[in-house]
Every structure is written in C-alpha cells, then in structure tokens.
Amino acid sequence: MTIDLLATLQIVDDDVAAVVNAYMTNPQRGMVRFGEGFEIDPAVALAAHPFASQLIRQPWAGEELCRAAVRAAIMLARPQRA
C-alpha cells in the first residue's frame, strides 16, 4: 500500500500530494508517476475505495474534503513499480 511506502520513507508526503493534485486537475489522467519509481492510477484507487468515491460526488463536499477522500484512497491503494 502507498501508506507502507510512506512509512518506510520510499516516498514523502509531497509525492502523495502530487498524485492528489494530478487527480484533482484531471480525474481521467490515468497513471501518475511519483516518488522514486512508483506509479498509480488515482481514479482506480478511488474506485476501489467506495466511501471516498461516493463522498467526492456529493454536492456539499468542498475541495478540502474531496482532497482528503482522494488522499485516503491513494494511501490504501497498491502502487506499481514504474
């Protein structure tokens, strides 16, 4: 999981923020490279996290809440080696 990479310092918080930013800018972007040799499709990560994917579709959910939901989904996803 992405959270494991963060815990072992293979990636840093800025790497995760970059993936969140990429998704928020273009949800259909596809694979995003981050850190030193990892990649992830944030839309797939979000689809695998039912609560987060439902939350970001709510009209009352502001940008910060949506970003937090996307980040949670990314943290629980399994990135690939690029």
Side-chain angles (χ1 to χ4, degrees):
M1 285 190 277
T2 305
I3 196 166
D4 297 328
L5 298 175
L6 192 61
T8 59
L9 301 177
Q10 294 180 62
I11 61 169
V12 295
D13 233 12
D14 287 347
D15 296 324
V16 179
V19 177
V20 173
N21 290 339
Y23 177 82
M24 297 300 288
T25 301
N26 180 2
Q28 288 82 33
R29 178 180 176 162
M31 296 299 275
V32 176
R33 288 182 181 252
F34 69 106
E36 295 290 325
F38 296 98
E39 63 183 4
I40 193 168
D41 186 332
V44 171
L46 200 61
H49 196 291
F51 178 76
S53 62
Q54 185 177 38
L55 179 65
I56 67 165
R57 291 191 306 265
Q58 300 305 312
W60 47 263
E63 183 175 347
E64 288 303 312
L65 184 57
C66 290
R67 284 182 171 279
V70 171
R71 180 182 169 84
I74 290 166
M75 294 299 283
L76 295 174
R78 297 192 184 280
Q80 303 172 2
R81 279 266 180 205

